[in-house]
Amino acid sequence: MKITYLGHASLHIEFDEISIIVDPFISGNSLASHIDVNELDADYIFVTHAHQDHILDVETIAKNTGATIVSNYEIAMHYGAKNFNVFAMNHGGTYKTQAFSAKYVNAIHTSSFPDGSYGGQPGGFVLTVGRKSIYIAGDTALTYDMKLIPLQTKLDLAIFPIGDTFTMGVDDAIIASDFVACDKVLGYHYDSFPPIKIDQEEAEQKFSKKQKDLILLEIGNSIEI
Ligand code: NI
Ligand code: MN
């Protein structure tokens, strides 16, 4: 599985000819001006919650690609009413295809659409492809619910918000990595706006002090899991 960081909380995940875009916020991110939304391919768009900085480019990509939008019931109904392909789920549920499974898990956050309308309850995804599993936490605080994940799934990578203010910061993300029993963390949801600017070097040092690996990718760069 190849994971490309598209900036903020946006990811491009590719495996076996399948392409998943997560929480696309690209055209509004000045740090990601070298990424062209119209060139992204997608079979699925995973949406963790309805905030603007996670859905901005959902419709553009869905229009361009015909991708299926996978999200909580309210978000799926929102896009279904606009005639996009959707798969609706809710916390605890797993979307199973021949190529992957994706479980929608708890997040502690909020989830309103930009116009204030209800965007269901926020979540994250545990994505399993063959023997590899990753946890895309979405916007969340540190929560004891994270401890449920390793009861069922051995993670190869945890993707955590680390920008603080609206989500966990670095110190809580280190505890979260204990909770999910995964010492390999990809950081996201940082540096895009002034309130979530971090000291990257200090963050990496804090993780390495705990014998953990914090990966911070340049926007457009990838890791292979
Ligand atoms: Ni949010
Ligand atoms: Mn956010």
Side-chain angles (χ1 to χ4, degrees), residues 8 49 51 53-54 109 139 189:
H8 197 53
H49 66 294
H51 286 158
D53 60 316
H54 298 256
H109 194 65
D139 285 10
H189 211 275

